[in-house]
């Protein structure tokens, strides 16, 4: 895959991701949702932590939420920098299209969420009491590096009481799928999935260590 096509893929994912986030942020109140289908909702939530809404401070109580957020954002920047160098290396060495595509969409997704974490706090007002505004005169809802990631895609495909005969979980309420995510998350998950499922094709003729599936 050429460098031009790779950059185009990254730009498309970033644009779709950021346009969707900015629209939701400037048109929805926090926790507001709209049902598109019975199994799909547009639901505006903000993620202040890692995957599934967990925070570093949940594991290390001695770290405050603000410091945990800053550490997480800096780690994300460090990680996406490493992915960028990896992508540059595989492009230079003309590795497989599958590998280049997977790394490119992972990079685009990671960069999309970093933009939220780094800049959204100073670019938008708070969404708690009213719909957020872009570049508010009174300033943003947080400082640089303390922004929250905007999520909006929710797929509550099924919910209900599990059969009593089911071991351990029988008779309990269960909902699939609860997490709310965004385009950037989809890009990251898809890229990782490609590397796992198409492992041999991605690392074909590669000198990198590969764990065969």
């Amino acid at each position: 895959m050429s460098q031009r096509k790779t950059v185009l893929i990254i730009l498309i994912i970033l644009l779709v991701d950021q346009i969707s986030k900015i629209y939701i942020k400037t048109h929805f109140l926090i926790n507001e949702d709209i049902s598109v289908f019975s199994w799909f909702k547009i639901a505006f939530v903000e993620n202040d932590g890692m995957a599934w809404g967990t925070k570093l401070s949940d594991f290390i109580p001695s770290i405050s939420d603000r410091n945990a957020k800053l550490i997480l954002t800096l780690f994300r920047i460090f990680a996406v920098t490493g992915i960028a160098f990896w992508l540059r290396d595989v492009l230079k060495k003309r590795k497989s299209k599958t590998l280049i595509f997977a790394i490119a969409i992972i990079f685009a997704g990671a960069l999309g969420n970093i933009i939220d974490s780094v800049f959204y706090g100073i670019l938008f007002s708070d969404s708690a009491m009213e719909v957020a505004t872009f570049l508010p005169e009174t300033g943003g809802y947080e400082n640089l590096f303390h922004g929250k990631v905007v999520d909006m895609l929710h797929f509550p495909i099924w919910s209900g009481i599990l059969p009593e005969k089911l071991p351990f979980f029988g008779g309990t309420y269960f909902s699939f799928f609860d997490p709310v995510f965004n385009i950037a998350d989809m890009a990251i998950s898809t890229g990782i999935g490609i590397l796992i499922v198409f492992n041999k094709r991605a690392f074909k003729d590669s000198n990198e260590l590969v764990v065969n599936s």
Side-chain angles (χ1 to χ4, degrees):
M1 182 181 293
S2 67
Q3 182 174 333
R4 180 177 297 181
K5 289 182 179 179
T6 303
V7 172
L8 181 60
I9 289 171
I10 293 171
L11 288 177
I12 290 174
I13 293 174
L14 279 176
L15 281 173
V16 174
D17 177 64
Q18 288 301 308
I19 289 173
S20 62
K21 288 174 176 176
I22 292 172
Y23 178 83
I24 293 297
K25 183 71 177 170
T26 55
H27 288 79
F28 283 64
L29 288 168
I30 192 71
N31 296 324
E32 182 180 354
D33 64 77
I34 294 178
S35 293
V36 181
F37 303 106
S38 60
W39 47 267
F40 173 52
K41 292 182 179 181
I42 301 295
F44 175 31
V45 300
E46 289 183 313
N47 186 354
D48 197 27
M50 301 178 287
W52 315 104
T54 57
K55 301 178 182 180
L56 184 62
S57 53
D58 294 336
F59 303 98
I60 310 177
S62 59
I63 299 178
S64 67
D65 285 347
R66 287 188 60 79
N67 287 336
K69 174 62 179 176
L70 179 59
I71 292 171
L72 176 61
T73 300
L74 294 176
F75 173 78
R76 282 173 169 165
I77 293 173
F78 176 79
V80 82
T81 301
I83 297 171
F85 278 108
W86 186 19
L87 179 58
R88 179 184 177 184
D89 182 65
V90 296
L91 280 168
K92 185 178 180 180
K93 294 178 179 178
R94 298 181 180 275
K95 298 296 184 179
S96 70
K97 293 180 180 180
T98 303
L99 178 60
I100 294 173
F101 177 76
I103 299 174
I105 63 176
I106 291 172
F107 173 76
L111 185 58
N113 282 337
I114 284 177
I115 291 173
D116 298 30
S117 297
V118 175
F119 298 110
Y120 272 29
I122 62 174
L123 293 178
F124 296 97
S125 60
D126 199 354
S127 299
M129 303 301 294
E130 60 183 7
V131 175
T133 56
F134 181 67
L135 295 178
E137 295 182 359
T138 55
Y141 66 85
E142 256 295 357
N143 298 325
L144 195 69
F145 295 103
H146 286 86
K148 299 177 182 179
V149 176
V150 174
D151 295 324
M152 79 292 293
L153 304 176
H154 185 207
F155 291 86
I157 297 174
W158 183 88
S159 62
I161 304 298
L162 295 175
E164 293 286 349
K165 295 181 179 180
L166 191 67
F168 305 110
F169 303 103
T172 60
Y173 176 82
F174 178 77
S175 177
F176 180 86
F177 175 76
D178 276 341
V180 183
F181 52 97
N182 55 45
I183 301 297
D185 296 332
M186 289 180 62
I188 295 171
S189 299
T190 302
I192 293 173
I194 289 173
L195 293 180
I196 294 173
V197 176
F198 301 102
N199 182 276
K200 292 181 180 179
R201 182 186 301 177
F203 293 97
K204 183 179 180 181
D205 298 327
S206 173
N207 292 324
E208 297 176 25
L209 180 61
V210 180
V211 178
N212 293 326
S213 58

CSV table of all heavy atoms in Angstrom, one decimal, residues 47-55 58:
chain,number,residue,atom,x,y,z
A,47,ASN,N,-16.1,9.6,28.3
A,47,ASN,CA,-15.2,8.7,29.0
A,47,ASN,C,-14.0,9.4,29.5
A,47,ASN,O,-13.2,9.9,28.8
A,47,ASN,CB,-14.8,7.6,28.0
A,47,ASN,CG,-14.0,6.5,28.7
A,47,ASN,OD1,-13.6,6.6,29.9
A,47,ASN,ND2,-13.7,5.4,28.0
A,48,ASP,N,-13.8,9.4,30.8
A,48,ASP,CA,-12.7,10.1,31.5
A,48,ASP,C,-11.5,9.2,31.8
A,48,ASP,O,-10.5,9.6,32.3
A,48,ASP,CB,-13.2,10.7,32.8
A,48,ASP,CG,-12.2,11.8,33.3
A,48,ASP,OD1,-11.5,12.4,32.5
A,48,ASP,OD2,-12.2,12.0,34.5
A,49,GLY,N,-11.7,7.9,31.4
A,49,GLY,CA,-10.7,6.9,31.7
A,49,GLY,C,-10.2,6.1,30.6
A,49,GLY,O,-10.1,6.5,29.4
A,50,MET,N,-10.0,4.8,30.9
A,50,MET,CA,-9.6,3.8,29.9
A,50,MET,C,-10.8,3.1,29.3
A,50,MET,O,-11.9,3.6,29.4
A,50,MET,CB,-8.6,2.9,30.5
A,50,MET,CG,-7.4,3.5,31.1
A,50,MET,SD,-6.2,2.4,32.0
A,50,MET,CE,-7.1,2.0,33.5
A,51,ALA,N,-10.5,2.0,28.7
A,51,ALA,CA,-11.6,1.1,28.2
A,51,ALA,C,-12.6,0.8,29.3
A,51,ALA,O,-12.2,0.5,30.5
A,51,ALA,CB,-11.0,-0.1,27.5
A,52,TRP,N,-13.9,0.7,28.9
A,52,TRP,CA,-14.9,0.3,29.8
A,52,TRP,C,-15.1,1.4,31.0
A,52,TRP,O,-15.8,1.1,32.0
A,52,TRP,CB,-14.7,-1.1,30.5
A,52,TRP,CG,-14.3,-2.1,29.5
A,52,TRP,CD1,-13.1,-2.6,29.3
A,52,TRP,CD2,-15.1,-2.8,28.5
A,52,TRP,NE1,-13.0,-3.5,28.3
A,52,TRP,CE2,-14.3,-3.6,27.8
A,52,TRP,CE3,-16.5,-2.7,28.2
A,52,TRP,CZ2,-14.8,-4.5,26.8
A,52,TRP,CZ3,-17.0,-3.5,27.2
A,52,TRP,CH2,-16.1,-4.4,26.5
A,53,GLY,N,-14.5,2.6,30.8
A,53,GLY,CA,-14.7,3.6,31.8
A,53,GLY,C,-13.8,3.5,33.0
A,53,GLY,O,-14.0,4.3,33.9
A,54,THR,N,-12.9,2.5,33.0
A,54,THR,CA,-12.1,2.3,34.2
A,54,THR,C,-11.0,3.4,34.2
A,54,THR,O,-10.6,4.0,33.2
A,54,THR,CB,-11.4,1.0,34.1
A,54,THR,OG1,-10.6,0.8,32.9
A,54,THR,CG2,-12.4,-0.1,34.2
A,55,LYS,N,-10.5,3.7,35.4
A,55,LYS,CA,-9.5,4.8,35.6
A,55,LYS,C,-8.3,4.2,36.3
A,55,LYS,O,-8.4,3.2,37.0
A,55,LYS,CB,-10.1,5.9,36.5
A,55,LYS,CG,-11.3,6.6,35.9
A,55,LYS,CD,-11.8,7.6,36.9
A,55,LYS,CE,-13.1,8.3,36.4
A,55,LYS,NZ,-13.6,9.3,37.3
A,58,ASP,N,-8.5,3.8,39.9
A,58,ASP,CA,-9.3,2.7,40.4
A,58,ASP,C,-8.3,1.6,40.9
A,58,ASP,O,-8.7,0.8,41.8
A,58,ASP,CB,-10.2,2.1,39.4
A,58,ASP,CG,-11.3,3.1,39.0
A,58,ASP,OD1,-11.6,3.9,39.8
A,58,ASP,OD2,-11.9,2.9,37.9
